[in-house]
């Protein structure tokens, strides 16, 4: 018996432009796919939804789980049985997979976690989407052409991903499976207790602001170099990391040959090279000549010892993993394919190979005990599902209730948090080597450093080498991922290019889209209220809402905010 082929489709809609005042409403819809790649366009949402209901296949919207599908989520299929026959998949509050008639509505952002413009997208003047301009005949044609191009480009991107990985729900899972397939082994499977044991060694990238000798965060009138590690995480994945799901406990510090495959707990004095957690779980990097408790991966400790940044006062215990694995073949294959794609100008495949390299390790550290199962049901089935542990969340429509419950333990799949911890620790260690080679460090973030003197870094184009991102003559630092670095000999304006990038600044303002001038003003003491152009779309909100934010300086000297033993 042959397996039925489910053809897939790609869809999109155009809405009022984001202006920070009105809630955008969709007014035109497009969809392409099926065996003959046919394209259909609609001006009435009900007609669009009814068309999708009849499709026996997958329909992708890019970032649809946090935008497009909000407008018709109330039409989603309901469950009436147990186990639910129409589960709804949420990933990080993203509406990722639900049924609509015969179709499955999917968010392609889970497959391709990047802007569509990083894959393939046409340039467009969004102001013509305004209600008073979109019905002008010439504009109407431009809008229709742009909508079609977005659908066609998304279909091409999903096609490329499917050819690379087959049918899958997430890039993280696809890349991890591809990595282990290249080794001829299965992904590891940890027990919940093993996961809980080793999660204390897991932390993200090293992000830190550094004040000058006077305590000031900003630097003006001094040349600074911004340097970035080429593919820091892929470089780390080429090395060996724990494959065993638990280690052999030793009460002796591992020798240098075993340290890289170990998780190590000790009391010591660090000079900024190792992370600690306070009683609230916040991470800091002590440099205060005091003794602290550290739980770190071996690669991170090796780097601190090389840089003479730590004194071990008392070793508590080490967990040595006997079976390790490297991803050298997987990384080299994708690195070479990406290089070839870039040489031929293939932005889409270059991005996919980059995502492969950067996505393969993360799922190892995922905690499924934090996942939920979600359904939609009619009022007369609410009590039935409550008897199975579901709780009421929100009416998606007057007759459809969103309900959820924690993912049952028997469905929780742990991989190997020690592997993920070792990867991130390796990158933090390499960052610390770079930090130790620089003078006058102003700011650091995971794989990058802004410093007055970065001349001792190993610059080059190779995997894991440092790349010079330019010289800056002013740095305004408000906190982690909140800064504006001014490019040397550039105008002091907020001018942007066609892609929306600032021409004269390197900026970050996580969770907000601030102008460089706004960041500068805030770093000089002015409180900034951010009014977003786009409203917040949430599966747990009845309607989109504008949420203003007061943004102020959050920079702290984490070298001295420590809790000592």
């Amino acid at each position: 018996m042959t397996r039925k082929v489910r053809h897939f489709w790609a869809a999109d809609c155009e809405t009022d432009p984001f202006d920070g005042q009105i809630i955008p409403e969709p007014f035109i819809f497009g969809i392409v796919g099926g065996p003959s790649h046919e394209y259909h366009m609609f001006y009435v949402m009900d007609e669009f939804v009814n068309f999708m209901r009849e499709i026996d296949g997958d329909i992708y919207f890019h970032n649809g789980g946090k935008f497009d599908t909000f407008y018709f989520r109330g039409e989603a299929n309901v469950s009436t049985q147990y186990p639910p026959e129409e589960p709804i998949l949420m990933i990080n509050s993203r509406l990722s997979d639900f049924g609509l008639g015969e179709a499955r509505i999917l968010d392609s952002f889970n497959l391709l976690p990047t802007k569509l413009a990083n894959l393939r997208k046409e340039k467009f003047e969004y102001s013509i989407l305004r209600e008073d301009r979109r019905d002008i005949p010439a504009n109407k044609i431009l809008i229709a052409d742009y909508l079609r191009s977005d659908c066609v480009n998304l279909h091409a991107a999903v096609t490329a991903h499917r050819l690379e990985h087959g049918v899958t729900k997430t890039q993280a899972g696809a890349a991890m499976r591809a990595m282990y397939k290249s080794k001829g082994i299965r992904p590891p499977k940890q027990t919940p207790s093993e996961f809980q044991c080793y999660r204390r060694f897991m932390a993200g990238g090293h992000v830190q602001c550094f004040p000058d000798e006077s305590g000031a965060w900003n630097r003006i009138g001094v040349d600074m170099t911004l340097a970035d590690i080429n593919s820091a995480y892929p470089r780390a994945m080429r090395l060996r990391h724990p494959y065993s799901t638990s280690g052999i406990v030793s009460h002796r510090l591992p020798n240098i040959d075993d340290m890289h495959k170990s998780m190590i707990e000790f009391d010591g004095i660090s000079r900024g090279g190792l992370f600690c957690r306070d009683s609230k779980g916040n991470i800091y990097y002590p440099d205060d000549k005091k003794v602290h408790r550290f739980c770190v991966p071996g690669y991170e400790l090796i780097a601190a010892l090389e840089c003479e940044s730590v004194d071990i006062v008392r070793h508590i215990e080490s967990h040595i993993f006997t079976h390790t694995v490297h991803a050298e073949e997987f990384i080299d294959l994708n690195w070479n394919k990406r290089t070839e794609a870039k040489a031929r100008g293939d932005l889409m495949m270059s991005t996919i190979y980059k995502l492969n390299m950067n996505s393969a390790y993360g799922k190892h550290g995922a905690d499924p005990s934090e996942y939920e199962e979600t359904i939609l049901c009619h009022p007369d089935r609410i009590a039935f599902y409550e008897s199975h542990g579901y709780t009421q969340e929100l009416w998606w429509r007057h007759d459809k209730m969103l309900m959820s419950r924690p993912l049952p333990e028997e469905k929780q799949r742990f991989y190997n948090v020690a592997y993920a911890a070792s990867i991130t620790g390796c990158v933090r260690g390499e960052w610390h080597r770079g930090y130790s080679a620089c003078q006058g460090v102003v700011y650091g973030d995971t794989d990058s450093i802004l410093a007055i003197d970065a001349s001792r870094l190993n610059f080059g184009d190779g995997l894991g080498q440092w790349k010079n991102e330019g010289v800056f003559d002013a740095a305004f630092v408000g906190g982690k991922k909140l800064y504006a670095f001014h490019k040397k000999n550039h105008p002091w304006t907020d001018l942007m290019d066609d892609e929306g990038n600032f021409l004269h600044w390197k900026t970050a303002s996580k969770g907000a889209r601030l102008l460089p001038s706004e960041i500068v003003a805030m770093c000089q003491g002015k409180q900034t209220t951010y009014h977003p152009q786009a409203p917040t779309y949430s599966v747990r909100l009845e309607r989109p809402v504008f949420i203003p934010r007061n943004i102020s300086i959050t920079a702290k000297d984490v070298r001295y905010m420590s809790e000592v033993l």
Side-chain angles (χ1 to χ4, degrees):
M1 181 178 179
T2 58
R3 181 177 179 271
K4 182 180 179 182
V5 176
R6 284 172 60 91
H7 296 286
F8 79 91
W9 299 66
D12 192 18
C13 68
E14 300 302 338
T15 71
D16 304 300
F18 297 133
D19 65 0
Q21 298 179 38
I22 66 168
I23 301 296
E25 292 291 339
F27 62 88
I28 186 172
F29 311 85
I31 183 168
V32 65
S36 59
H37 289 195
E38 59 196 80
Y39 179 73
H40 300 266
M41 189 174 72
F42 304 86
Y43 287 97
V44 179
M45 187 166 67
D46 286 347
E47 295 176 2
F48 176 56
V49 170
N50 289 334
F51 179 85
M52 290 192 293
R53 287 185 195 279
E54 302 302 318
I55 293 175
D56 184 17
D58 299 331
I59 304 175
Y60 290 93
F61 290 79
H62 201 62
N63 200 35
K66 291 199 172 183
F67 182 48
D68 309 69
T69 59
F70 187 95
Y71 296 107
F72 60 88
R73 66 182 188 179
E75 303 301 318
N77 296 343
V78 299
S79 291
T80 60
Q81 305 170 13
Y82 187 84
E85 74 274 27
E86 291 286 351
I88 293 175
L89 177 63
M90 305 283 190
I91 300 177
N92 295 328
S93 299
R94 180 183 297 276
L95 180 54
S96 299
D97 182 352
F98 65 93
L100 180 70
E102 296 297 317
R104 298 300 304 180
I105 307 299
L106 304 169
D107 190 340
S108 55
F109 193 87
N110 295 313
L111 291 182
L112 300 158
T114 186
K115 296 186 297 184
L116 191 57
N118 292 336
L119 298 162
R120 185 188 296 164
K121 193 173 178 68
E122 314 306 321
K123 293 183 178 180
F124 184 69
E125 175 53 59
Y126 289 96
S127 65
I128 69 172
L129 297 174
R130 284 170 28 193
E131 188 173 10
D132 61 344
R133 297 188 61 190
R134 61 188 179 225
D135 287 329
I136 297 172
N139 289 347
K140 199 168 185 177
I141 294 172
L142 290 173
I143 293 169
D145 288 346
Y146 177 68
L147 173 64
R148 179 170 186 153
S149 73
D150 267 4
C151 294
V152 170
N153 290 339
L154 177 57
H155 194 278
V158 175
T159 298
H161 192 278
R162 285 189 166 199
L163 290 173
E164 182 76 14
H165 294 293
V167 180
T168 184
K169 289 191 183 296
T170 68
Q171 168 64 20
M176 183 184 69
R177 287 189 292 272
M179 183 187 81
Y180 283 111
K181 184 177 180 180
S182 73
K183 306 294 296 183
I185 57 177
R186 293 180 179 274
K189 186 176 182 179
Q190 256 180 345
T191 66
S193 60
E194 289 172 333
F195 183 91
Q196 295 302 325
C197 175
Y198 295 113
R199 69 181 304 172
R200 69 186 190 274
F201 297 95
M202 178 72 183
H206 189 150
V207 184
Q208 189 170 349
C209 316
F210 297 88
D212 64 14
E213 293 180 354
S214 69
W217 302 106
N218 304 327
R219 313 290 201 281
I220 303 173
V222 58
D223 287 357
M224 295 160 283
T225 299
L226 181 64
D228 185 89
I229 304 174
N230 291 321
S231 299
Y233 286 96
R235 175 258 174 196
M237 290 173 62
R238 296 182 81 255
L239 305 176
R240 288 197 167 273
H241 301 279
Y243 180 75
S244 311
T245 57
S246 64
I248 298 172
V249 178
S250 171
H251 294 287
R252 292 186 178 182
L253 188 69
N255 61 45
I256 197 65
D257 293 329
D258 288 333
M259 192 172 288
H260 71 281
K261 57 182 180 181
S262 302
M263 300 287 139
I264 303 157
E265 182 175 1
F266 67 94
D267 296 337
I269 300 172
S270 173
R271 289 172 284 282
L274 301 172
F275 77 91
C276 282
R277 282 191 174 89
D278 63 20
S279 58
K280 297 180 180 179
N282 299 312
I283 285 178
Y284 59 94
Y285 292 86
D287 183 9
D288 56 5
K289 301 180 181 179
K290 297 177 181 178
V291 176
H292 301 268
R293 175 67 51 84
F294 297 94
C295 297
V296 296
Y299 279 112
E300 193 167 10
L301 181 56
I302 290 171
L305 290 169
E306 285 180 8
C307 298
E308 299 182 348
S309 299
V310 64
D311 298 321
I312 298 174
V313 175
R314 183 171 71 98
H315 174 256
I316 308 298
E317 66 178 24
S318 295
H319 295 250
I320 303 173
F321 294 77
T322 56
H323 191 180
T324 59
V325 65
H326 66 77
E328 185 174 343
E329 302 93 346
F330 174 77
I331 293 300
D332 288 351
L333 175 65
N334 282 279
W335 177 268
N336 293 333
K337 284 185 173 181
R338 186 184 182 218
T339 301
E340 293 169 1
K342 289 170 71 174
R344 64 176 182 267
D346 190 340
L347 176 63
M348 183 179 295
M349 292 312 302
S350 171
T351 302
I352 287 175
Y353 295 132
K354 179 181 179 180
L355 291 172
N356 285 347
M357 291 188 288
N358 286 309
S359 303
Y361 82 93
K363 199 166 181 65
H364 292 82
D367 184 359
S369 68
E370 298 177 352
Y371 296 175
E372 292 182 329
E373 289 186 325
T374 311
I375 61 165
L376 204 61
C377 72
H378 288 308
D380 60 356
R381 302 300 283 171
I382 290 176
F384 171 74
Y385 284 112
E386 285 179 334
S387 71
H388 289 284
Y390 288 86
T391 58
Q392 299 180 42
E393 294 271 0
L394 180 74
W395 289 104
W396 267 11
R397 207 174 67 178
H398 71 280
D399 60 345
K400 293 183 179 181
M401 170 61 73
L402 182 71
M403 303 186 73
S404 66
R405 72 174 183 181
L407 184 68
E409 290 185 5
E410 64 270 17
K411 295 184 180 181
Q412 295 174 11
R413 174 65 157 89
F414 296 88
Y415 290 95
N416 192 346
V417 70
Y419 178 92
S422 185
I423 293 285
T424 56
C426 185
V427 173
R428 287 192 302 276
E430 195 61 24
W431 183 92
H432 185 66
R433 289 187 180 95
Y435 166 82
S436 299
C438 294
Q439 297 293 323
V441 175
V442 177
Y443 184 81
D445 188 343
T446 308
D447 58 359
S448 64
I449 291 173
L450 180 71
I452 294 173
D453 182 2
S455 59
R456 293 172 58 200
L457 293 177
N458 177 26
F459 288 105
D461 297 327
L463 185 72
Q465 289 186 290
W466 290 84
K467 177 183 178 182
N468 190 326
E469 296 285 357
V471 177
F472 300 79
D473 58 14
F476 299 88
V477 180
K480 293 182 178 181
K481 302 186 184 297
L482 181 59
Y483 59 76
F485 305 152
H486 180 256
K487 297 178 182 179
K488 185 177 180 181
N489 296 328
H490 278 242
W492 288 66
T493 68
D494 293 337
L495 192 64
M496 292 184 285
D497 61 18
D498 292 339
E499 304 297 327
N501 302 309
F502 296 113
L503 290 171
H504 311 303
W505 298 80
K506 169 75 173 179
T507 69
S509 52
K510 188 175 181 180
R513 178 62 170 166
L514 297 179
L515 297 172
S517 57
E518 292 175 317
I519 299 174
V520 170
M522 184 202 64
C523 292
Q524 292 178 331
K526 180 181 178 181
Q527 182 168 321
T528 299
T529 300
Y530 172 65
H531 296 278
Q533 294 292 100
T536 296
Y537 292 78
S538 172
V539 293
R540 290 178 169 85
L541 289 176
E542 292 184 6
R543 60 185 63 86
V545 294
F546 289 102
I547 304 177
R549 289 177 53 204
N550 291 324
I551 301 177
S552 56
I553 294 175
T554 60
K556 297 178 182 178
D557 195 343
V558 297
R559 298 171 297 176
Y560 306 107
M561 58 180 287
S562 52
E563 297 177 359
V564 299
L565 294 177

